[in-house]
Amino acid sequence: WKHACGFGSRLSYIYTHEHVRKGEPYTTSTRPHTATLRLDYGRSWNNYRFNIALHGRALSAVTVDEFTSLTDYSETEKVRYPAYTMWRLNVTQGIWRGIDLTLAADMALAKDHKLEWNVNYSYQRSKPLTDRTSAEYGKQVAYIPLNSGGGSVAYSNPWVDVVVKAVGVSSRYATNSNLPDTRIDGYVEAGVSLRRILMLFSHRWEASFDIDNIFNKQYQVIARYPMPGRSWRLTLKYQL
């Protein structure tokens, strides 16, 4: 639940039922009852952000058949693990500085012919300031690039509308400590779209053809998860 004044809470409960046959090897039991509670409070002032969160977890007791022999898995003994609770308190603070610029314009070339372009740029400096002794202190927050931007040029005409677009980001890090081996290279990804709108049988039809990543750029948004290469799609829309 989200409450006023930046306060939020979350409560969950899980019940797990297992049927374990006696004497069956490679079987363990799961704690049947698990409950979690999260309370958090966050506030922002200008480019400063403060957050405090309390996490609690309670688990019921469980009895497990543990192996007593490394060679004979039929030899087990019952071991009871008691119920327990655990709590964790996190206090974080950080500072965000950024610049967003957007430029848009259009030009009429002739009757029913129009050229539009849009350019945007963003600079975002995000750094945690919670613990001065931490390796993450003052470093760029993971996956947030310092520089990002994009642009598009659209040509509208009576035949086929054409849009050329591109987005790009600078290098980022997969960890808040900004280790060199977690650096993710920046990239620029471009695409082209063609669209035609027709009125047939008193209904509106729209056909579009899109090519994404037209230069087949190999890049990653999340570390070790490559994004798709060049792809295309054909779409036909009919409006009643």
Side-chain angles (χ1 to χ4, degrees), residues 1-11 38-44 49-53 55:
W1 298 275
K2 283 292 183 181
H3 307 281
C5 303
F7 177 75
S9 62
R10 181 183 301 169
L11 176 66
R38 174 188 171 96
L39 303 174
D40 61 81
Y41 172 79
R43 296 289 290 177
S44 297
R49 183 177 299 174
F50 173 82
N51 182 266
I52 182 170
H55 302 258

Side-chain angles (χ1 to χ4, degrees), residues 88-139:
R88 184 175 74 252
L89 180 67
N90 291 337
V91 179
T92 59
Q93 57 179 336
I95 189 167
W96 278 257
R97 291 190 177 96
I99 298 175
D100 290 301
L101 301 175
T102 300
L103 175 65
D106 61 83
M107 179 186 300
L109 304 177
K111 183 180 179 180
D112 297 328
H113 292 261
K114 185 178 181 181
L115 192 64
E116 300 175 87
W117 63 86
N118 180 291
V119 179
N120 62 81
Y121 167 77
S122 177
Y123 170 83
Q124 189 169 7
R125 180 72 172 98
S126 304
K127 54 184 179 180
L129 302 174
T130 304
D131 184 4
R132 289 181 178 273
T133 63
S134 171
E136 302 176 357
Y137 183 84
K139 304 290 182 64

Side-chain angles (χ1 to χ4, degrees), residues 1 39 71 122 142 150 201 204 211 226 239:
W1 298 275
L39 303 174
T71 57
S122 177
F201 309 109
R204 186 177 185 269
I211 303 178
Q239 183 175 339

Side-chain angles (χ1 to χ4, degrees), residues 11 34 45-47 51 57 67 70 85 130 142 167 179-180 193 219 221 227 239-240:
L11 176 66
T34 302
W45 297 272
N46 296 326
N47 61 346
N51 182 266
R57 191 180 187 193
F67 304 121
L70 297 178
T85 59
T130 304
V167 295
L179 297 175
S193 299
Y219 67 97
V221 175
M227 295 299 290
Q239 183 175 339
L240 295 175

